[in-house]
Amino acid sequence: MTPADLSLTVAHAVRRAVGDGDLAVRELPGRLTVERPRPGGLGDWATNAALQLARPSGLPPREVAEVLRRRLLDVPGIARVDITGPGFLNLTLRPDARAGAGRLLVERVRREGMRYGHGDALAGLPEDRVHFRVAEGAGPRVRALTAAVAALLRSQGAPARVDEGGGDGQRGGAGDLGHGDGPRLASPSPGSPGASPGTHGGSPSTHGGSPGTHGASRGARSRASRGAHPGLRLHARPPHYDLAALPSDVRQWALLRPAPHDRVLDAAPLLRQTESGNGLFTVQYAHARSAALLRNAADLGFSAAYEDGPHDAHPGAAELLAALGDHPAVLLAAARQHAPDRLARHLEVLADAFLGFQHTVLPLGDEKPSAAHRSRLALAEAAGTVLAGGLSLLGVSAPTRL
């Protein structure tokens, strides 16, 4: 069962509860999310559906969760449903349900390529929420942040555009915030779109707005009311050193990997080619290793072809499949929250999972390539594809050799 399958399953359970009269809800939420539980959480997947339905149903969240739990336990493929925290539902799948999900996921990545995770969830956003303006003389971090946010929004169907130039400089210089300031942030509630189950979301960076609304500043709203929308302005703490001499990939990662209100990353660790303390190298190296495995497999005379089997149960494969399955939700949340740092952190998680798995891909010694090797190679190829797509959205290259 894929996250999309589970989302439909939860929605069906809600409709059954409403039809049976156990939940008095006039209008169902537009989107019921199913995401990975936070570290240390229970089960394979989690949903905050009960929290979303508590207010419209007039019931406490845990009571709503119990109503849904009884119906989800009847679903083939779901072995266990636990209620945690204020009312989160944690779902544990049966082994046979997990196995089929791996093949479907890898096939989807291979079919969609670097556009895996792209969608149209934000296609209906009005222009004033996806029109950005970069002030004349804006600093490098604001420019990088604005370009990445626009790319993320476009990946989810929003018609985002960026206008360059224009006056009204900002305190702190060129559209950045001063060192002592941070953007006025509004964290989403756990039940809001884009928030992870049991956690608060990323770090939106528009003045005066909350995730999903991204309102303009007071002056911008005043000008917009007179008929000319000036465009939203993103804000970030300016760099504390000159990044101009750095390689472009290092510069982008240093600017975008931290949340906008945090300091940019120091350059020295990013210039060392090591997986320890250098997220940029880890992600790029993982992509290069994926490409190398495909080349080495071709030399050995076999290619990628995912098949269901016991290799799905390999701990490294399970972790990697989980990271790949999370990618669409991460992209949507990063777009909603104007938070490219959230995508960067996810790419690090995906790269770590892949690097822990890569040693199982190729045959060892005189071992002949088997169905398991072909399947693991397909999973490695999918990981490389998703890493390349994520790096592209951040404006960072994906080398095939390092």
Side-chain angles (χ1 to χ4, degrees), residues 48-92:
N48 60 0
L51 280 76
Q52 291 179 263
L53 293 163
R55 179 175 293 179
S57 68
L59 297 174
R62 288 189 70 91
E63 190 170 332
V64 176
E66 184 56 43
V67 169
L68 298 180
R69 177 180 178 275
R70 292 195 297 269
R71 287 163 174 81
L72 289 170
L73 284 172
D74 294 336
V75 176
I78 294 181
R80 177 175 167 180
V81 181
D82 295 285
I83 301 174
T84 60
F88 296 105
L89 288 159
N90 293 69
L91 313 175
T92 300

Side-chain angles (χ1 to χ4, degrees), residues 171-172 176-184 236-238 260-262:
R171 179 170 60 86
D176 289 319
L177 293 173
H179 283 276
D181 298 324
R184 301 184 190 120
R237 177 176 291 195
H261 58 282
D262 290 333

Side-chain angles (χ1 to χ4, degrees), residues 103-339:
R103 177 178 53 79
L104 293 174
L105 177 58
V106 171
E107 287 178 353
R108 179 182 170 189
V109 175
R110 299 186 76 189
R111 182 173 64 251
E112 299 180 10
M114 288 174 56
R115 292 184 59 81
Y116 168 67
H118 292 213
D120 57 3
L122 304 184
L125 285 180
E127 181 186 2
D128 63 351
R129 297 191 194 177
V130 294
H131 174 197
F132 300 93
R133 180 173 58 82
V134 178
E136 184 177 354
R141 194 172 189 190
V142 164
R143 291 184 178 279
L145 177 64
T146 304
V149 167
L152 285 166
L153 285 165
R154 292 186 196 110
S155 79
Q156 302 306 308
R161 66 186 180 93
V162 178
D163 289 341
E164 296 278 345
D168 84 310
Q170 304 292 313
R171 179 170 60 86
D176 289 319
L177 293 173
H179 283 276
D181 298 324
R184 301 184 190 120
L185 303 177
S187 297
S189 63
S192 66
S196 298
T199 63
H200 290 289
S203 37
S205 50
T206 49
H207 263 282
S210 60
T213 59
H214 305 303
S217 65
R218 182 179 302 173
R221 286 196 300 269
S222 175
R223 289 191 294 274
S225 67
R226 295 197 296 269
H229 188 274
L232 301 175
R233 290 170 294 143
L234 300 182
H235 301 266
R237 177 176 291 195
H240 55 284
Y241 64 94
D242 185 6
L243 290 80
L246 294 177
S248 60
D249 286 347
V250 172
R251 184 168 60 249
Q252 284 290 105
W253 196 265
L255 292 170
L256 296 177
R257 170 57 177 82
H261 58 282
D262 290 333
R263 284 163 54 105
V264 301
L265 298 182
D266 291 332
L270 296 178
L271 294 171
R272 292 195 288 267
Q273 291 199 340
T274 173
E275 297 173 47
S276 177
N278 187 347
L280 171 62
F281 178 79
T282 299
V283 174
Q284 289 185 318
Y285 175 64
H287 179 267
R289 284 298 303 147
S290 171
L293 289 172
L294 289 168
R295 292 194 298 268
N296 293 340
D299 292 340
L300 293 173
F302 75 99
S303 58
Y306 199 94
E307 301 175 20
D308 294 331
H311 48 272
D312 281 339
H314 187 282
E319 185 179 354
L320 183 52
L321 283 167
L324 290 171
D326 290 344
H327 188 69
V330 170
L331 282 187
L332 179 57
R336 286 185 187 275
Q337 297 164 12
H338 293 182

